[in-house]
Amino acid sequence: MATFTGTVRKNDLEGGFHELVTEQGDVYRLSKCSVKAGARVKVEGNVESGGFGIHMSGPSIAVKSIEVLAS
């Protein structure tokens, strides 16, 4: 399990999904996200390897928890 900190953004590609843009500039798809775009968050989860998805934007994080951080 890993922890990632960054900002949630909405990507409208292929019907729409949420991404996490980390403080290092890496971009991950979020397997589930209940927070609004623009929120600064800490995400705990595992980077999924392999598999196939329609959202061709980068690796996906299988989210265990999301914590919204103070601005």
Side-chain angles (χ1 to χ4, degrees), residues 15-38:
F17 56 96
H18 286 92
E19 297 175 316
L20 177 70
V21 181
T22 69
E23 295 171 338
Q24 294 76 28
D26 298 320
V27 178
Y28 297 93
R29 288 175 286 134
L30 297 173
S31 65
K32 59 182 175 180
C33 182
S34 58
V35 299
K36 292 183 180 182

Side-chain angles (χ1 to χ4, degrees), residues 5-64:
T5 303
T7 304
V8 173
R9 75 176 177 197
K10 174 80 176 192
N11 186 323
D12 292 326
L13 180 70
E14 298 293 337
F17 56 96
H18 286 92
E19 297 175 316
L20 177 70
V21 181
T22 69
E23 295 171 338
Q24 294 76 28
D26 298 320
V27 178
Y28 297 93
R29 288 175 286 134
L30 297 173
S31 65
K32 59 182 175 180
C33 182
S34 58
V35 299
K36 292 183 180 182
R40 211 165 127 21
V41 296
K42 180 169 75 171
V43 175
E44 288 188 14
N46 293 314
V47 176
E48 297 178 327
S49 60
F52 175 78
I54 63 170
H55 303 128
M56 302 168 105
S57 72
S60 180
I61 298 175
V63 177
K64 179 178 179 190

